Amino acid sequence: MSCRAMGRGLESLLVSQALQALPCWADVGEVCFLVRETERNLPARRWLGDIAGLEDEAAPAGEVVVDRARFDEIPMPGGVAISVLGSIARPA
């Protein structure tokens, strides 16, 4: 996602809808993000910190676990439709 789009709520909407479209979503209790700090990912880490409830902190490097309910709370705005196409690659 472009830097200009970050911070406008699109990242939450896209991630939420992509997760909810997964066939296994009904069985998911938590979502684990693996975070690496780089020079350019501070906006993304701030977004993840917000979703994770870290109160105005960027997500730290390492594993950040977010309760699935946080994604269920993100509303889909009227007039927007998102489709998730393709398959999810699973780690070997």
Side-chain angles (χ1 to χ4, degrees):
M1 180 175 294
S2 74
C3 293
R4 290 182 58 171
M6 291 289 293
R8 297 176 187 231
L10 290 175
E11 56 275 89
S12 298
L13 179 62
L14 289 173
V15 171
S16 172
Q17 293 300 304
L19 290 172
Q20 291 176 35
L22 294 172
C24 63
W25 185 247
D27 300 323
V28 171
E30 297 176 323
V31 179
C32 179
F33 292 86
L34 298 178
V35 179
R36 184 178 64 163
E37 287 186 38
T38 70
E39 297 173 9
R40 300 180 63 192
N41 72 353
L42 184 57
R45 290 189 301 108
R46 284 184 178 144
W47 167 81
L48 183 55
D50 182 53
I51 288 292
L54 300 179
E55 299 184 27
D56 297 325
E57 289 186 38
E63 193 173 281
V64 176
V65 178
V66 181
D67 189 281
R68 77 161 276 154
R70 299 284 291 179
F71 295 101
D72 291 333
E73 296 167 357
I74 298 169
M76 173 67 89
V80 174
I82 296 177
S83 296
V84 179
L85 307 174
S87 62
I88 303 298
R90 297 186 188 271

